[in-house]
Amino acid sequence: MTHNTLISIPSESEISPSEWLLLNQFLHKIKQIDTTCVSVYYPYGKGAEFISLLEETKRNPSIENIESGIEKRIGQLRKNPSSVGKFTKTLCIFGWIKNGKVQLMEIGTSKKLPYVYMLSKRPFIKPFNDLLETQHNVVLVTLDQKSARIQKFIGNDIVQEASLRIDLQGRHKKGGQSQGRFLRARQTKIHVFYKKVANKVRTMSLNSELILLGGIGQAKTEFFDELDSELAKKSRFVENLSFSTSLTDVYKKIITHLYHHRKKHVTETIDKYEQLVKCKLTAKRNDVIFEALKLGAVDTLIVSANYHSEPKFKNIMKMLEIAKYTKSKIEFVSSPKIIEKLELNGSVLAILRYAIK
């Protein structure tokens, strides 16, 4: 069987563990908001430009009140931006109404996120998930031949944890059974143990995007061979991980593998787009995509994270809102190679649910 491996190579584009941790804590709070929300993302220094954009939109009085509160906050942040990173590149403000009063929450990040204005039933946090790899569901398995620890992470929170262990004699003692029988019995015991661990991983990994396998020695590769095809497809090896690895280092490894996972997902999405071109189930012109969105014909909207450099960025923001309303999938991409391709096509591509004329 071919082992599904990925090499953990740190990338300058990756977010630092400390910023990732703080963003996850913020997003955990934001996700508790279950009411109509205005979500705003803008580059630091572009607040005035965004205020003019908000002034162009016409909403009902309650939404206008939220927008007014956001406009005031943008003005305040102009001189004193908040950030969980070393430098502020993007400011994100979320506004909603509670008990008749406008409520605001904000965060700044050192990473570049796309311009966004989104009115939706809940806070719009997709750019964080797509570009900063936050709030993902990951199962981390650390094991040797006689013990295993299984941890389920959502963002930086361990939401479920289990430990399994067996008594395993290390060496054959003189007398009694032969060396060969001892080794066979020992290997059978390890095999049964791995099966129990695999069953536990199966129950804990529902809705998980990744299963990360680590531990000192050959246990992780032996355990991989016990996994069924569905679990094996999600699994990646993590190097230099043991039961004593600090949480900070665990976060580093999770982040790196999430970035690899995201890159693979985006590549597969673009490949799918290319395959569907001949079937006329794609669109690349902004005007065509806009009409397809209004018809509810867009399955996936692929958007450059740099789309605000495009002159038609206001139209693209409208596309995003329609896509959210019509339950189209939205994929933000930051790969320079793919962004270059997107920029040739107005910064947006679409995979369609059905062909349109």
Side-chain angles (χ1 to χ4, degrees):
M1 181 183 292
T2 302
H3 291 158
N4 199 354
T5 62
L6 279 173
I7 300 172
S8 297
I9 302 174
S11 167
E12 291 183 1
S13 66
E14 290 177 17
I15 195 168
S16 71
S18 60
E19 186 171 354
W20 185 77
L21 175 66
L22 291 168
L23 281 171
N24 273 289
Q25 291 171 345
F26 175 84
L27 292 174
H28 178 73
K29 294 177 184 176
I30 280 291
K31 286 177 73 177
Q32 309 309 309
I33 299 166
D34 190 15
T35 188
T36 300
C37 184
V38 175
S39 305
V40 164
Y41 298 62
Y42 67 96
Y44 175 53
K46 297 289 186 179
E49 186 177 342
F50 212 98
I51 287 174
S52 68
L53 179 70
L54 288 172
E55 289 172 345
E56 288 179 19
T57 62
K58 297 298 177 185
R59 306 286 186 178
N60 67 46
S62 63
I63 302 303
E64 291 281 352
N65 286 340
I66 296 172
E67 290 185 352
S68 177
I70 290 174
E71 288 171 18
K72 290 177 184 177
R73 189 60 187 145
I74 288 174
Q76 294 165 352
L77 289 172
R78 190 177 302 165
K79 294 182 180 180
N80 187 26
S82 57
S83 181
V84 292
K86 290 184 178 180
F87 306 100
T88 306
K89 285 193 177 177
T90 307
L91 285 160
C92 314
I93 306 176
F94 301 88
W96 68 99
I97 291 179
K98 182 178 180 181
N99 299 327
K101 294 184 178 180
V102 174
Q103 308 291 318
L104 298 177
M105 283 184 70
E106 82 219 20
I107 196 163
T109 174
S110 66
K111 296 300 179 182
K112 192 175 182 180
L113 298 180
Y115 260 114
V116 171
Y117 169 88
M118 182 69 72
L119 172 63
S120 52
K121 293 180 180 179
R122 301 191 68 180
F124 183 67
I125 60 172
K126 192 72 165 58
F128 286 101
N129 292 346
D130 281 2
L131 304 176
L132 301 184
E133 298 307 320
T134 56
Q135 295 289 300
H136 287 284
N137 189 325
V138 176
V139 170
L140 180 68
V141 183
T142 311
L143 77 167
D144 54 28
Q145 291 183 327
K146 59 183 179 181
S147 55
R149 183 176 65 204
I150 310 159
Q151 297 166 301
K152 185 173 183 176
F153 288 80
I154 296 182
N156 63 287
D157 291 326
I158 300 173
V159 296
Q160 193 176 356
E161 187 167 4
S163 296
L164 290 85
R165 186 177 178 82
I166 57 170
D167 293 323
L168 192 66
Q169 187 177 330
R171 296 182 180 180
H172 177 245
K173 296 180 180 179
K174 292 183 178 179
Q177 61 181 327
S178 69
Q179 175 78 3
R181 288 176 61 193
F182 167 79
L183 291 174
R184 286 193 296 274
R186 186 176 189 277
Q187 199 57 43
T188 298
K189 197 170 185 179
I190 292 170
H191 173 75
V192 172
F193 172 63
Y194 287 158
K195 284 292 184 186
K196 288 182 179 178
V197 176
N199 287 335
K200 192 66 178 177
V201 170
R202 186 177 296 105
T203 60
M204 288 176 63
S205 64
L206 295 174
N207 302 318
S208 295
E209 289 115 315
L210 278 175
I211 300 170
L212 301 181
L213 309 178
I216 304 302
Q218 61 186 17
K220 60 181 176 289
T221 55
E222 293 175 340
F223 173 68
F224 181 89
D225 290 334
E226 300 293 342
L227 299 177
D228 60 34
S229 59
E230 184 179 347
L231 293 180
K233 188 177 179 181
K234 295 181 181 180
S235 297
R236 306 288 185 270
F237 292 151
V238 181
E239 301 304 324
N240 302 315
L241 178 74
S242 69
F243 292 105
S244 61
T245 302
S246 69
L247 262 182
T248 299
D249 286 337
V250 167
Y251 293 151
K252 286 180 183 178
K253 295 176 190 301
I254 289 175
I255 293 166
T256 294
H257 281 272
L258 281 170
Y259 270 88
H260 281 293
H261 177 69
R262 177 66 191 168
K263 184 177 179 180
K264 181 173 180 286
H265 172 73
V266 171
T267 299
E268 288 172 350
T269 302
I270 296 297
D271 288 345
K272 181 180 178 182
Y273 174 91
E274 300 288 0
Q275 292 167 10
L276 292 174
V277 169
K278 293 181 181 178
C279 305
K280 296 184 178 180
L281 288 174
T282 62
K284 62 181 182 179
R285 280 175 36 201
N286 278 194
D287 58 338
V288 175
I289 294 172
F290 207 104
E291 291 304 314
L293 282 165
K294 289 193 285 187
L295 291 170
V298 174
D299 174 81
T300 305
L301 194 68
I302 306 165
V303 185
S304 163
N306 292 344
Y307 81 82
H308 56 266
S309 62
E310 175 73 32
K312 299 177 181 178
F313 85 91
K314 292 181 182 179
N315 287 335
I316 296 174
M317 278 201 285
K318 291 176 184 176
M319 289 185 198
L320 291 171
E321 196 166 7
I322 298 171
K324 181 71 174 173
Y325 180 76
T326 56
K327 294 182 169 54
S328 302
K329 293 189 286 289
I330 299 170
E331 298 289 353
F332 291 104
V333 298
S334 58
S335 162
K337 187 175 180 180
I338 297 176
I339 283 179
E340 185 178 346
K341 177 183 177 66
L342 283 163
E343 285 176 347
L344 294 173
N345 295 287
S347 295
V348 184
L349 296 172
I351 296 174
L352 303 179
R353 292 173 175 144
Y354 52 85
I356 58 173
K357 294 182 178 179

